[in-house]
Amino acid sequence: MTCDQDSVVEVRAERASKPPALTIRAAAKINLHLGVGRVREDGFHPLDTVYQAIGLHDDLVIAPADTLSVTTIAADHVDAAGVPDGEDNIALRAARLLAAHTGHEPTGRLVVRKDIPVAGGMAGGSADAAAALMAFDRLWDTEIADDDLLRLAAELGSDVPFALIGGTARGRGRGEVVEPVDDAGVWWWVAVPTTEGLSTPAVYRHFDVLHPDAPLEPPNAEPVLAAVATGEPVRLARALHNDLQEPAIDLRPELGTLIERGEAEGALRGLVSGSGPTVVFLCDSREGAVATAAGLRGAGHDVALVAAGPVAGAHVVD
Ligand code: ATP
């Protein structure tokens, strides 16, 4: 094959004058343990939780621009009607916070390719915030220290520090005090989103109504931590725990029926993800997850997504 030397030079010159777009990937989270304590006077619930990042993600593409903007492109199974395209978008809030902290002019064009269900209890907004912090940090070359980035993440939301770290990790406080934990497994999940979201504050309010005398200290994550360290799916299935499952099912009884159905289709255990309404099923293997997802689709749940965990937190993919 021959090659025209002039056109090679032109292409190189164009590349040099226009920095390439950068893609940051951010994973959805599930809570293997979500222990909730009694609401405090400041309105927050003390948590002891174990997060896991799973292979269902949003990709954020960042490019230089004269102004700051965000556009969301949603996968077929995602209803992005509730995602703001203006300043309320948490990705833009992340950009402004980083700009204020570093003194950088807040500019850049962000495209969010959304695969994580919105208002599904899988922290898609938090994933976008973490990825946006990383994206604008790279675009502006801020050289912010990791600890400072984690502090900004916690200001944006309780789940955002975990979205930066990924893997499997314990979260305390409001969930924002995160430490990685030993995880010996490759865990296979089926996630079934529901078209209509369930608001996190509404589920917590219902928890308060159902459990006005909840313990001050949230139920402890030790059983799940011990199970995760063994790598054995049957042990983890027994240990999975979510204090928000009862209020979520009370608000949406069909979630209980869905859990029963997935377990009848072969899953080891079904669990409401975070505050719901997404339900996740732990399976014994990849094959088990594929079979459970097929069974659920056959039962009319058109979207049943197979994903493995743990995966990395927000990271550059090209
Ligand atoms: P969590 O599990 O952390 O409670 P969630 O998965 O239930 O979160 P999200 O998808 O994170 O819910 O979004 C909650 C709300 O945040 C949305 O209904 C939307 O109004 C708002 N929001 C702002 N920015 C975004 C974004 N980039 N992606 C999704 N939602 C956003």
Side-chain angles (χ1 to χ4, degrees), residues 29 82-84 88-90 114 117-126 128 159 200 275:
K29 64 84 185 158
V83 177
D88 286 344
N89 192 300
I90 194 165
K114 226 173 198 331
V118 175
M122 303 190 90
S126 302
D128 294 352
D159 293 341
T200 302
S275 55

Side-chain angles (χ1 to χ4, degrees), residues 27-30 32 50-54 161-170 178-183 187 189 228 308-315:
K29 64 84 185 158
I30 56 182
L32 311 183
V50 179
Y51 299 106
Q52 184 166 99
I54 64 167
F162 172 71
L164 276 176
I165 290 172
T168 305
R170 186 178 196 171
V178 185
E179 55 179 323
V181 300
D182 283 342
D183 185 343
W187 312 98
W189 301 95
V228 160
V311 300
H315 62 283

Side-chain angles (χ1 to χ4, degrees), residues 25-101:
R25 178 160 290 179
K29 64 84 185 158
I30 56 182
N31 299 80
L32 311 183
H33 176 93
L34 183 49
V36 181
R38 193 184 313 162
V39 65
R40 298 187 314 213
E41 290 211 333
D42 61 6
F44 282 102
H45 294 80
L47 301 182
D48 190 354
T49 189
V50 179
Y51 299 106
Q52 184 166 99
I54 64 167
L56 172 65
H57 51 255
D58 289 353
D59 278 343
L60 274 65
V61 183
I62 182 82
D66 295 333
T67 56
L68 183 65
S69 66
V70 63
T71 307
T72 303
I73 300 173
D76 286 348
H77 65 267
V78 175
D79 178 4
V83 177
D85 55 8
E87 291 297 322
D88 286 344
N89 192 300
I90 194 165
L92 289 198
R93 287 205 281 120
R96 295 228 179 256
L97 188 65
L98 182 67
H101 182 81

Side-chain angles (χ1 to χ4, degrees), residues 48-219:
D48 190 354
T49 189
V50 179
Y51 299 106
Q52 184 166 99
I54 64 167
L56 172 65
H57 51 255
D58 289 353
D59 278 343
L60 274 65
V61 183
I62 182 82
D66 295 333
T67 56
L68 183 65
S69 66
V70 63
T71 307
T72 303
I73 300 173
D76 286 348
H77 65 267
V78 175
D79 178 4
V83 177
D85 55 8
E87 291 297 322
D88 286 344
N89 192 300
I90 194 165
L92 289 198
R93 287 205 281 120
R96 295 228 179 256
L97 188 65
L98 182 67
H101 182 81
T102 59
H104 203 284
E105 192 65 24
T107 59
R109 184 164 47 82
L110 197 60
V111 175
V112 178
R113 297 183 189 281
K114 226 173 198 331
D115 247 17
I116 306 176
V118 175
M122 303 190 90
S126 302
D128 294 352
L133 283 176
M134 190 168 278
F136 286 99
D137 171 43
R138 296 297 172 99
L139 182 69
W140 302 335
D141 206 9
T142 73
E143 296 185 348
I144 185 173
D146 287 352
D147 281 355
D148 287 341
L149 204 61
L150 278 170
R151 254 194 302 280
L152 296 186
E155 273 185 48
L156 288 162
S158 309
D159 293 341
V160 184
F162 172 71
L164 276 176
I165 290 172
T168 305
R170 186 178 196 171
R172 280 182 278 197
R174 289 187 247 146
E176 84 286 16
V177 185
V178 185
E179 55 179 323
V181 300
D182 283 342
D183 185 343
V186 175
W187 312 98
W188 284 96
W189 301 95
V190 176
V192 181
T194 303
T195 24
E196 204 185 325
L198 194 54
S199 118
T200 302
V203 178
Y204 272 102
R205 276 198 301 274
H206 201 50
F207 172 87
D208 297 337
V209 171
L210 294 178
H211 299 287
D213 297 323
L216 291 173
E217 282 296 311

Side-chain angles (χ1 to χ4, degrees), residues 267-291:
L268 295 173
R269 177 97 189 265
L271 190 79
V272 169
S273 174
S275 55
T278 299
V279 170
V280 291
F281 295 93
L282 178 61
C283 299
D284 60 359
S285 60
R286 182 178 185 282
E287 293 70 29
V290 170

Side-chain angles (χ1 to χ4, degrees), residues 256-270 279 281-283 288 291-296 299 301:
T257 315
L258 170 57
I259 289 174
E260 282 169 19
R261 185 68 206 216
E263 291 177 351
E265 295 295 342
L268 295 173
R269 177 97 189 265
V279 170
F281 295 93
L282 178 61
C283 299
T292 299
L296 283 162
H301 298 283

